[in-house]
Amino acid sequence: MASLPASERRAFALKINRHSSAEIRRHFSGISHGSLPHHRHSYSTSGSFCFNVPQSYEAVEPVDLDEFLMSQLRSGDAELMQELGEFPDDDLEVELVERECRTIRPSVPEEGVELDPHVRDCVQSYTQPWLVVSRKSQGYGWIAYAERTDASRALQRQTFESDVDPDKQEQVEKSPSLPALCDDSTRTTLTCSDFNLRALQPDRRVESLLRYSSPEELDRFNQEARNSNRYGELFGLYPPIDEEDAVAIRPIPDCPKEHFGQRILVRCQTIKFEIEIEPLFATMALYDLKEKKKISENFHFDMNSDQTKGFLRAHTPHTDPSSSARSAIFSISYPSPDIYLVVKIEKVLQQGEIGDCAEPYMVLKESDTTKNRDKLDKLRNQAEGFCQRLGRYRMPFAFATVNIMSAINSTLERDISDTDSMNGRSSLEKKGLPRRNSDRFSMMEDNYILSGFKPALTMCTFIKQEGERLSDEDLFKFLGDIKRSSSQRRVKIIPGFLRLEVSPMPETVPGCLSPELIPVKPVFEKNPRAVKEVLEFPSSEVYVPHNIYRNLLFVYPLRLNLTNRLTSARNITVKIQFMCSEDTSCAMPVIFGKSSGPELLQEVYTPVTYHNRSPDFYDEIKIHLPARLTEKHHLLFTFYHISCQQKQNQTGSLETLIGYSWLPMLNNDRLQTGQQCLPIVLDKLPVNYSLHSPEKLPAQVPPVKWLENHKGLLNLELQAVSSVQTQDSHLERFFTLCHALEGKTIFPIRVRDEKISENMFEHELKLSIISLSSSGLEPLVLFLHQVLDKLFRLIMQPMVIAGQTANLAQIAFESVVSVVNSLHNSQELAKDHQGRNCLLATYLYFVFRLPDTQHEIHTTGTGGLMAHPESRYSTLTRTTATTVGFMLLQSRMRSSSNPDIPAPQSPEDAEVNNILGKGLNLPGSRISTAGNVSNTSQSSSTRPTNRKLFHEELALQMVVSTGVCRENVYKYAWFFFELLVKSMTQHVSQLDKKAVSRRNRFSDRFKDDITTIVNVVTAEIGNILVKQQKELEQAEKVNISLAFFLYDLMSLMDRGFVFQLVKNYCNQMAAKSVNVSTLISMRLEFLRVLCSHEHYLNLSLFFSSPASAPASPSPSTSSQTSSSCSFLDHKIAAMFDLSQDFKQRHYLTGLLLTELSTALDMESEGGRVQQKAINATYSLLCAHDLDQRCSRPEVKAKIAALYLPLVGIIIDSINYLDFTVSDSRGGKGKSGGPEEDPDSITPINQSVAMAIAGNPFNTLTRNALVSMASVTGKTSNMLTAETSRNLLMCFLWIIKNADQNLIQRWTVDMPSSQLSRLLELLAICISCFEYRGKQSSDKVSTQALQKSQQAKARLEEALLGGIGARGQMMKRVGGNDRTLGQRENLRWRKDLTQWRQTNDRQDKSKAELDQEAIISGNLATETNLIVLDLLEMIVQAVPLADCKDNVVGGVLKVLLHSLTCNQSTTFLSHCFSTLRALIVKFGDLLFEEEAEQCADLCQKVLHYCSSCVDGNRSQACATLYLIMRYSYSSASNFSRVKMQVTMSLASLVGKSSDIHEEYLRRSFRTILAYAEEDTEMQSTQLPSQVDELLRNLNSILSDTVKMKEFQKDPEMLMDLMYRIAKGYQTSPDLRLTWLQNMAEKHNGRKCFTESAMCLVHAAALVAEYLSMLEDHKYLPVGSVTFQNISPNVLEESAVSDDILSPDEDGVCSGRYFTENGLVGLLEQAAELFSNGGLYEAVNEVYKVIVPILEAHRDFRKLASTHDKLQRAFENIIQKGPLEVAQVFLNEIPADPKLFRHHNKLRLCFKEFILRCGEAIEKNKQLITPDQKEYQQEMKKNYNKLRENLRPMLERKIPELYKPITKPRIENRDSFKRHSLRRTQDENS
C-alpha cells in the first residue's frame, strides 16, 4: 500500500468506501421479505437512469381456474365459496325493460293503416322494450364503495383532551389555600412545602390493578377489553380516494328519452285593455333575435269572458277542453339573452284599417262610464254584429314583447343541467348498478341554467300592429331596435295590461298535454285547465336520436302578391286544407285548432289585412301528418276576398273566390319541405291536379287559366318535425334500398328521380351504404338507432339476386366503422371520461339486439321481415332451452363472408402483421358463402343451417379488416368490444347451460379470433406508447376498453382462456420498449378494471389461501409433485412472500401486487405511478371491507390471507413513506430544500454504523434512512402524505382482519432487522392517523395529516432510540437541526405535488364539522388499537431467551411514541394497560436495560397525570404507581425511577405554560392512595418512600405557581427560572433539566445567545461529571475549560465528589451525562451562537468538540464541523465593516453638528467598497485555475456586502436624511447590548 502513488491510494480508498456505503446500506435497507429484489435500478455510464425489468415482472402461467373450481366444489370449502357467490350460470342476464312513457299512451300512428316498412321499423324502434344486459351479483362491494351511505352517523364520539376545555370541566376540588410559599432565599431542600396532599380527594382507582393470577390472565383480560366495542369496517371510517383513482366502473348511460331543453312554465294571468267590447285572441311564441329564428311553435289562448265568447257561438260548434289552456311549457335548448317572448293579439275581422279599429282602445276608458257609456254600448253592438257575421275571420291587432331573460331576473348561471342531453349528453341517475359521481356524461362543457325567476311580469302597453309590417323579418327588426336603444321607435301604443307568471317547470303539472295533445302522466282525477307543452324549434342542431313517434308539419304562408290583379280583391284570406283526395269532402281533420274551439279542424283561414292586395302573413298552421303518405295527399289553398261591409239587400256569401293553388305532399316519394312559391289557378281546379305540382302541371283541355300567366304568387314555407321522415337524401336512399330487400320487390325500383334495375341493385345498395358517411350529422344522429340496426342486419344478411349470392358483410362493417369514427370525431357530440361516444354507448346498452336473419332474403321472394322473437327474453332468468346437438352445431358453425375479400394489406407494423398471420392461416380460407355452409354442414337441427352467429361474424370482420378501417376499429375498440359482449350474452342466454359447458359455449375458431383481436389491440397500444407519445391519452382509453372487454369475457367464456389473454397482454406490454413508468401505469389501469369484477375474489381463489397458520406442510396447487416445505416457519414466511406459486394460484392478485411492488421500487416523476398502484390496491381492499358478502370474520380472514404478501411489500417500502407535512393552516411551507447549504448533508448516523458493523438489532432510524437516500440519490421515490396514508390503511386492514395466530407466528420467526422495520412502520401508522382536533378539522378525504416540526422531532426521537443528547436538545430547544431536517429535502414539497387542499370549513355547517371530527376521532382510535393489537402479539410471542430486551425495548418505543400523539381516552386506557403488562412481565429488564426509555415513560405518564380528563388521569396514576412498585425490588432501580420522575416533573413544569397543578396534585393524592391501599407492600418501606417522593414533587409544583404569575413578564420569568436552577445546585439532574428549560424559553423568544449560554452551562455541568468518571485527555477537565466562552461557567464547578456519587442512587443517569451527550449539547450551543451572530464564540465551542471527535475518528462529523467553522470565520470577516456601518450609519445623528462626521464616514465606506471591488478584479487575474471557486465565493460575498451598504451610502444631502429602518431592540439579547455587532433581522 505504501508503494502506491498517492493518487492511486486515494482512488482505491474511495472505491472501498463507496462500495461499503452503497452495498452494505442497500443490503441493509433492502432485506426483502416478500417483495421483488432491490436490484432493479442501474445507472449507465452516461449517468442516465434506466430500468431493467426483472424476470419476476413477467406474468406467470395461470392456474386452470375452471378445473380448480370443480375440484374445490368437492372439497370442504365449497360452502364458503358458494356463500360468496360462486359463478352462477346466469351471471349475465338479458332483461327486457319496458320503456318509460311520459304520456298516458304512446304516440303511435293511426290504427288500420298499412305502414311503409321504414315507418313500421321506426314505430317498432320507438315502442319496443329496451334489451339490457345486467349483472346479477354486481352491487355488493362496488356499490358500497362508490355510493356508500353515511353509516358513520352511528359512531360514538371519542374523547380527546385537545377537544376538552379545561375551564368547562367538572371543577376539581380546589386545593386548600397554600400557606405562604417558601421564599427562594431560604430554600434549602425540596420538601419545604407544608402543603398537605391528604387533604385532597383522590381520583377513582383502576379496578383490578393488582388482581391477576398470571401475566397470561392479564393479557387475556386486556385483549378482551380491546376487542369490545370495536368498529368492524375500517374503511368505513376512512374517506374514499379521489374518483379518478377509485375502482373502475363503466358509466351507465341514461335511458334514451325525449329531448327537452330548460323548461319554463308561462301562465297568462291577465290580458286587459282600457275598454272591453269584443273577444280578443292571443298567440305566444319564442323568438331568438341573435339567430333570427322562431324557436317555438305558437301557443294559442284567450282570456275572453263567457259573454264575449257568446258573440262567436254561431261559428264555434263545440269547444274542446284542451283549447281552453292559458298556460304553456316552453323548452329552451340554447338559452341566450336575445330570446324574446312575443304575444300577438288578434280580433274578429271588421271594417276598417287596423289603426281605425284600435283607436277606441287608445282614446276611451272603461272607467269613464258616464262620459263614454253611449260610445261603448255602440261599439259593443257593432262588435257583436261583426262577430256574428265575420266570426270565422281574424285580423291583426296588437303585440307585446318580453325579453325572457329579464323575466328570469336576467340571471344566467353556468351549471350542468339536463340540457346536456341535447348534444347526446345525459346525467346519470341512481339505478341498481354501480356508478360514481364522475361517471356522468354531462361533464364535457358547462351550459347556461336559468335561475332567479321573478314571480310575475307585467306589461302596461301593447304595440299596434301595422298592416305593412306583419312578417317575421319586420318583427326581428323591431326587436333589434328595442335592444339597441332603451327608448322604442315611433310606434303607436295601445294602453293595456298583460300579466305573465314565468317559473321553472315543476316536476308534475296537472292537466299537461303533449304537443300531440296526449295527456302527460300523472293524470289527476279532477280536470284542471289544460297546460300545453309547446314544441321547440331549437336555434341550433340537437344531437339526440329520435325516441318517440312524431309526425308534424308546420305550414307558414309568407306573402301573397296580387297587386297586378285588376279586380277589387283587397280583403284577402287563404283557406288551407289537407286533402287525401281531390274530392272536396276529402279534407282531413288533421289541422290543430286554436283557442276556444275544436282540437282538430279540416280547414283554417289566414288573418285578413284590410284593403291590402299583397298581404304579409304571420300565421302558423300545425298539421298532424298521416303515417302513410300517398301521391294523393296535398295541401289545398283557396283564396277569397272577404266583404267586410254588408251592403243593403245583400244575402250572398261573404267570400268571393279569387283562385286556387295546391302543393303535393310528396315529390318523388319524399316529403316536400322548405320554401315554395306557388302560382294561382282561376275558376276551377283541373282534373287529377294533385298528381302534379302547380308549376309542372301538364297541358289540359280546356286550358287552365292562371293568374298573371302562371307566375308564382304565394310564398310559403313548410317545416317538418318528424321522427319518420329522414329529410336527408343519403339516409332516404339507404333505407329505401334496404327495405327493398324485405318485401315483394318489383324491378325496377324507383328511388327519387332514378330507376334501379335488378342488375344494378347490388351496386346501388353498396353505394348507398358507403354514402352514409356523407349524410348530415344531425339526421344521422336522429336516425342512428335505425341506421345501425340496418347495418348489423346487412352484416348477417346473405342476399340472393337473380340466383347469385352476394354478401354485404364487409362493406356494411366498414360503414359501421365509418359511422363510429364520424360520431367520435364530431366536436358537437359528448364523450364520457373513458372517451366513449355517449350516443353509441346508449345504443349499445339499451337498443342493440341480435339481428334476426332466420330467413334467407331473396329479391324475388315473398313476405317481409319476421317479428323479433322476444319470447326468449320474457323473464329475467328463464331462457328457451334447445337441444344439445343444436348448440354443438351452433358452436361449430363457421362464418360466412365474401370470398372476394382481398388478403389484408401488409401493415406497417410487422408485429400486427405477425399476429394477424397467426390468427388466420389464409385470410380467404375463413370466407365462405351461405351455400357453402349449407353444403358442408348438414344437420337435422330446427335452426336453418345457413344462419350465421353475429358475434362470430363481427369478430371475423374485426380480424380481416385492413387499412383505415382497421385503424379505426382498434382506435374505437370499446364499441366493438361491447357489441361483441352484448351479442355473446344474447347467444349464451339462448343456450341450454346444463347441456353445454362453459368451455363449449363458443367455437375454437371464435376463440382464435378473440385471441388475435386482443393481441392486435395490445400491439396497437404498445406502438402508440413507443412511437406516438402525443397519442398517450388514446392509448390509455383503448387500454381501459380492452380491460373491460376481458372483464366481461370472464362472465361468458372459460376463465382459464381469459386468464391466458391477460397473461399475453401483460407479457406483450412488458416486451415493448416503453417507458417503465408508462408501462406500469397502463398495466395498473388494466388490472384495476379486472379486479373490479364482482367475482374477483373467486377468480383469485381466495378461499384456497390458508387463513390461519398451517398445521402441516402441503404441496402447491400448480405442482402436486413438488417437494413440500421442510419447516413450518418457512411455510408461514412464504405466505408473506410474493412467490411464483402465489402468483400462479391467485392470478389477478399476484399481478396487482407485482405492479405495486415494482412501482414502489422505481423512480417516478411526481410519484404518480406509485400513487396509482397504491390507490388501486386501496380501492380493492375498501370494496372487500364494505362488501356485504364478506362481513363474517372468517371470510375477512380468508381475504386478508390473500393479501399477506402486501404486508412484506409495505414493510420494504418504509423508506418511501411520508408522514410529516407542514401545517397548511400555518401559512408557511416546509423549510429546507435542495438549495440549502452544503452543511445540511447528513453525517452517518451511529445506528447505521452499528448496523454496518453487524449489530443484530439496531433499528434503522429515520435519519439513517435519510442519509442512505442522500447517498444513493433516490429522492423521487418518496410518496406523498396522502398516498402514504392510503398504503398504511391497506396494511392496517390486513393486520386487523388476518388470523392473529398466523400474524404472531410470522413475527416470532421474523429476522430482527425485519422486526425493527415493522416496529418503525407501526410508529409511522400512529403518526399518520393522529387526530388533529375538532377545532382544526379539515376534510380528511383529501388532506394528509398535518404535523408540526416539534411533533416530527418527537417521532424521530422515538423511532431512533439512540438519538443522543444533541437530538434530544434539538427537540427541547426546537432549533433548525440540519441532521434531522435532512428528511425534508427528500420529501415532496407542496408546490411540486398535486395537492388538493380543501380548506372549505367556512362552507360547512357546524354539524358537518362536528361529524367530521367524530369520524376522524374514531379513525385515529381504531388505527391505534390495531397497532396496539399487533404490538401485543409481538410481545406475547417473544421467547424469554432470544433478544427479548431488544424486542420489548422496540415495542416500548412505539408505545411511548403513541403517548406523544393526540390520543383518545379509549385508546389511552388500553395503551396504559399494555404498558402495565410490560412492566409486570419485563419490569427488571426495562428498569435496567432501558433506562432512557423509562425516563421517557415517566415523563409521558406524568404528563397525563396533569390531564383534565378524569379517565386519562386515572390510568396514568395507576401506571406510575406500578412503575414505582415494580422498581422497588432493586434499590438502584427505584432510586433511578425517583430521580426520573422528579426530573420529568421539573421539565414538565419548566416548559409548559398551561400546566394544571390542581390536576397534578389530585394525581399525587391518587398515587398516595394506591400506596396506602396496597396491602402486600405495607410491610415494606415503599409507602413511606412514595410519600416522600410525592412531597418532593408537590414542592416542585409550588414553583409553577410563581412562574404562572410572571408568564407575561419574560425577564422576571427567566430570573425566577434561574433562581430555581440555582436552588438545585446539589442535584445535577434537576439543574440540567432547568437549564434546558431556560434554553427553550430563550430560544422561543429568539434570544439565541442567552439560549446558547444556558447550554454551555449544561455542558460544563456534564463535563464536571465526566471528569470524575474518566480520565481522558480529549475530554474537558471540567467547567474551567469553558471559561473562554463565559466566566460565569465556573459556577458549575460547585459539583464535587462529596455531592456526586456516580452510578448510585440514580443520579446523573440521564442520556446527557455521556460523551455523546456532551457533544450534542455543545453542537446545539454552537448553532445557537451562530444564529445569534456571535461567531467568535462558535470557535471556542468547537475547540472543545473537535478533540472528542478526533478521538472517536468521526471524520464525517469532523468535516461538517470544519465546514461550519469556515462559515463562522467568513461571517466574522464579512460582518465587521457591515456591522460598523449598521451602528454608525443606519441611524441619523440627532445633533446636526455630527452631520459632517457622518458624511465623512459614509464617504470612507464608499471608498472602501470601491477599493474592495478593484482588489477582487485584480485577484481574478492572479489566481490559478484551481482557485476559481474561491474567487467566485469572494465576489459573491463582496456583492452581498455592497448591496447591504447601498441604502446607507446613497444619501447625499444631510437635510434630506430620513431613517430607513429602525434598529430592532425588542429581541436584542443582553449580550448584544454590550456589542457593536448587530445582525440583520437577528438572522431569522
Side-chain angles (χ1 to χ4, degrees), residues 28 31 1211 1214 1251 1255-1261 1265 1307 1310-1324 1359 1431 1434 1446-1447 1450-1451 1453-1454:
F28 187 83
I31 296 175
I1211 292 177
I1214 191 172
N1255 185 304
F1257 195 92
N1258 197 303
T1259 304
L1260 251 188
T1261 68
L1265 300 178
T1307 58
M1310 188 180 290
S1312 58
S1313 58
Q1314 186 83 346
L1315 183 57
S1316 67
R1317 293 167 68 85
L1318 176 61
L1319 292 175
E1320 182 179 1
L1321 182 64
L1322 295 180
I1324 293 174
L1359 296 178
L1431 292 175
I1434 295 172
N1446 290 318
V1447 173
V1451 170
K1453 291 175 187 176
V1454 180

Side-chain angles (χ1 to χ4, degrees), residues 87-106:
F87 303 92
D89 290 336
D90 292 328
D91 193 29
L92 291 179
E93 55 188 12
V94 181
E95 297 182 56
L96 288 178
V97 181
E98 288 299 326
R99 287 172 177 258
E100 181 182 353
C101 185
R102 285 194 326 115
T103 53
I104 61 172
R105 63 179 184 275

Side-chain angles (χ1 to χ4, degrees), residues 1021-1054:
I1021 296 171
N1023 291 340
I1024 294 175
L1025 297 178
V1026 173
K1027 302 175 183 177
Q1028 307 170 31
Q1029 283 297 317
K1030 295 181 180 179
E1031 302 294 330
L1032 178 60
E1033 184 179 357
Q1034 176 64 32
E1036 291 174 345
K1037 291 174 180 176
V1038 176
N1039 186 56
I1040 290 291
S1041 304
L1042 178 60
F1044 273 116
F1045 180 53
L1046 299 188
Y1047 169 99
D1048 291 325
L1049 292 186
M1050 281 193 230
S1051 301
L1052 293 167
M1053 302 184 76
D1054 173 27

Side-chain angles (χ1 to χ4, degrees), residues 1179-1192:
S1179 301
L1180 205 51
L1181 291 181
C1182 183
H1184 300 330
D1185 198 29
L1186 302 176
D1187 193 334
Q1188 298 173 4
R1189 300 172 295 176
C1190 309
S1191 58
R1192 286 166 40 200

Side-chain angles (χ1 to χ4, degrees), residues 148 237-242 1178 1225 1281-1283 1285-1286 1289 1328-1333 1336-1346 1396-1401 1404 1408-1409 1411-1420:
R148 53 187 185 180
L237 298 172
Y238 193 73
I241 57 178
D242 292 342
Y1178 166 90
R1225 292 178 300 277
E1282 185 176 1
T1283 306
R1285 283 164 60 90
N1286 294 338
M1289 278 295 291
C1328 277
F1329 298 100
E1330 183 180 358
Y1331 178 69
R1332 290 177 296 167
S1336 60
S1337 177
D1338 292 334
K1339 195 169 185 179
V1340 184
S1341 61
T1342 54
Q1343 267 190 318
L1345 178 65
Q1346 305 294 310
R1396 293 172 294 279
Q1397 306 251 353
T1398 55
N1399 293 325
D1400 53 351
R1401 292 175 58 241
K1404 297 180 182 178
E1408 289 174 324
L1409 289 173
Q1411 183 67 17
E1412 284 184 5
I1414 292 176
I1415 298 172
S1416 178
N1418 277 275
L1419 175 64

Side-chain angles (χ1 to χ4, degrees), residues 1506-1777:
S1506 67
S1507 171
C1508 60
V1509 180
D1510 295 345
N1512 297 354
R1513 214 166 51 245
S1514 177
Q1515 292 288 336
C1517 291
T1519 306
L1520 188 55
Y1521 174 71
L1522 213 63
I1523 293 173
M1524 297 177 186
R1525 190 181 193 271
Y1526 276 85
S1527 66
Y1528 182 72
S1529 59
S1530 169
S1532 60
N1533 287 346
F1534 188 58
S1535 299
R1536 189 180 300 115
V1537 166
K1538 287 196 295 182
M1539 181 56 67
Q1540 288 167 346
V1541 172
T1542 307
M1543 291 173 58
S1544 297
L1545 181 62
S1547 175
L1548 187 67
V1549 168
K1551 68 182 181 182
S1552 179
S1553 59
D1554 57 349
I1555 192 73
H1556 302 287
E1557 67 272 8
E1558 297 91 349
Y1559 296 120
L1560 261 178
R1561 285 199 173 90
R1562 174 173 281 202
S1563 295
F1564 294 162
R1565 178 65 185 93
T1566 307
I1567 296 172
L1568 194 58
Y1570 277 120
E1572 293 170 347
E1573 297 167 4
D1574 191 350
T1575 55
E1576 292 184 15
M1577 305 301 292
Q1578 292 304 314
S1579 60
T1580 67
Q1581 294 295 317
L1582 178 63
S1584 60
Q1585 293 280 338
V1586 170
D1587 182 64
E1588 180 185 359
L1589 173 62
L1590 292 175
R1591 276 200 262 158
N1592 290 343
L1593 298 178
N1594 191 30
S1595 67
I1596 294 177
L1597 269 183
S1598 62
D1599 297 328
T1600 309
V1601 179
K1602 283 191 174 183
M1603 290 176 60
K1604 279 193 171 182
E1605 297 176 4
F1606 302 119
Q1607 283 299 322
K1608 296 183 180 179
D1609 189 346
E1611 300 294 340
M1612 287 297 296
L1613 179 62
M1614 297 311 301
D1615 287 342
L1616 176 61
M1617 294 181 72
Y1618 173 76
R1619 281 188 286 164
I1620 293 173
K1622 194 171 180 64
Y1624 292 120
Q1625 197 85 33
T1626 57
S1627 179
D1629 299 88
L1630 290 174
R1631 176 165 174 78
L1632 182 64
T1633 299
W1634 280 99
L1635 287 171
Q1636 290 172 334
N1637 292 341
M1638 292 173 64
E1640 186 171 357
K1641 292 288 184 183
H1642 279 305
N1643 189 59
R1645 298 179 54 236
K1646 294 188 178 181
C1647 297
F1648 301 117
T1649 305
E1650 282 86 345
S1651 181
M1653 285 299 179
C1654 292
L1655 296 182
V1656 169
H1657 276 258
L1661 183 61
V1662 172
E1664 289 284 343
Y1665 167 74
L1666 291 178
S1667 65
M1668 296 180 194
L1669 280 183
E1670 303 172 357
D1671 184 17
H1672 295 304
K1673 294 182 179 179
Y1674 59 83
L1675 289 176
V1677 295
S1679 57
V1680 68
T1681 307
F1682 300 88
Q1683 62 181 347
N1684 288 341
I1685 303 174
S1686 172
N1688 296 335
V1689 178
L1690 294 176
E1691 293 176 0
E1692 309 306 328
S1693 61
V1695 179
S1696 58
D1697 293 344
D1698 57 338
I1699 297 175
L1700 286 182
S1701 299
D1703 283 337
E1704 291 183 13
D1705 298 329
V1707 297
C1708 299
S1709 59
R1711 70 189 70 183
Y1712 300 103
F1713 291 95
T1714 63
E1715 293 182 14
N1716 282 340
L1718 176 63
V1719 171
L1721 292 168
L1722 289 173
E1723 284 184 336
Q1724 190 62 32
E1727 189 164 346
L1728 288 168
F1729 277 132
S1730 180
N1731 290 341
L1734 196 60
Y1735 300 107
E1736 294 86 351
V1738 173
N1739 181 35
E1740 297 296 333
V1741 173
Y1742 280 121
K1743 283 181 181 178
V1744 183
I1745 296 176
V1746 168
I1748 302 175
L1749 298 180
E1750 289 175 344
H1752 288 284
R1753 301 177 65 81
D1754 193 342
F1755 299 114
R1756 286 287 300 272
K1757 191 168 280 189
L1758 279 170
S1760 175
T1761 298
H1762 285 291
D1763 183 62
K1764 293 176 181 176
L1765 278 171
Q1766 178 188 354
R1767 289 166 175 266
F1769 292 146
E1770 289 175 351
N1771 282 325
I1772 292 173
I1773 295 172
Q1774 296 169 12
K1775 290 290 183 181

